[in-house]
């Protein structure tokens, strides 16, 4: 039976993909004590993603109020969409705890996530190398990455609910 993901879980997956592709540290801030990007860096990531998708030029984003909105306010509004998803997941610290839990409970799958992080950081060259290290074909490794990330998102939800129960 296929598990259905909630809207919040899908948004969190989108954030992982955003960091993976467009942040210099990849998803490292969610795995280890690495610096989270500031609002300006998040805006750069979002602009790069829009440009890569060809949606519209990287320097343009519509916000109600248009040209009258000061640049700093625009930046805050754009970055807040990303920060809100992270907060809703219990914050970066909760996400780190969930990754540690996932590493303990599913070490083989965690290695796939870790290897993609190494690729993001340019320490691994390509998908074939990741596939070989994890015993999959290069055709399947991308699917295994998404499966692993979905599992991590579920661990994040479990971790978040355990924090709420403690309060």
């Amino acid at each position: 039976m296929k598990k259905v993901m909630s809207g919040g879980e899908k948004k969190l997956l989108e954030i992982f993909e955003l960091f993976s592709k467009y942040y210099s540290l990849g998803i490292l801030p969610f795995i280890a004590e690495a610096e989270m990007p500031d609002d300006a860096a998040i805006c750069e990531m979002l602009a790069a993603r829009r440009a890569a998708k060809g949606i519209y030029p990287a320097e343009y984003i519509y916000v109600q109020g248009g040209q009258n909105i000061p640049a700093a306010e625009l930046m805050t509004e754009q970055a807040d969409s990303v920060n809100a998803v992270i907060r809703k997941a219990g914050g970066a610290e909760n996400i780190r705890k969930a990754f540690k839990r996932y590493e303990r409970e599913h070490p083989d799958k965690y290695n796939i996530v870790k290897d993609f992080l190494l690729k993001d950081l340019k320490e691994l060259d390509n998908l074939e190398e990741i596939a070989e290290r994890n015993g999959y074909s290069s055709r399947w490794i991308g699917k295994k990455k998404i499966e692993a990330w979905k599992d991590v998102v579920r661990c994040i939800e479990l971790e978040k609910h355990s924090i709420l129960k403690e309060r």
Side-chain angles (χ1 to χ4, degrees), residues 130-153:
I130 295 171
E132 186 179 313
R133 287 169 56 110
N134 290 283
Y136 293 100
S137 70
S138 56
R139 188 172 153 203
W140 282 100
I141 197 66
K143 290 179 182 179
K144 293 297 178 184
K145 172 185 122 175
I146 297 300
E147 279 179 27
W149 280 14
K150 285 179 179 179
D151 289 344
V152 168
V153 167

Side-chain angles (χ1 to χ4, degrees), residues 15 18 38-40 42-44 46-47 49-50 61-85 87:
I15 298 301
L18 176 73
D38 61 13
D39 287 354
I42 290 172
C43 287
E44 288 174 16
L46 293 168
R49 180 175 68 183
R50 285 191 304 275
I61 184 165
Y62 177 78
V63 174
Q64 191 170 352
Q67 301 281 35
N68 299 328
I69 305 284
E73 189 175 340
L74 277 174
M75 187 184 310
T76 301
E77 287 182 23
Q78 291 175 38
D80 196 49
S81 64
V82 171
N83 291 326
V85 173
R87 277 192 308 273

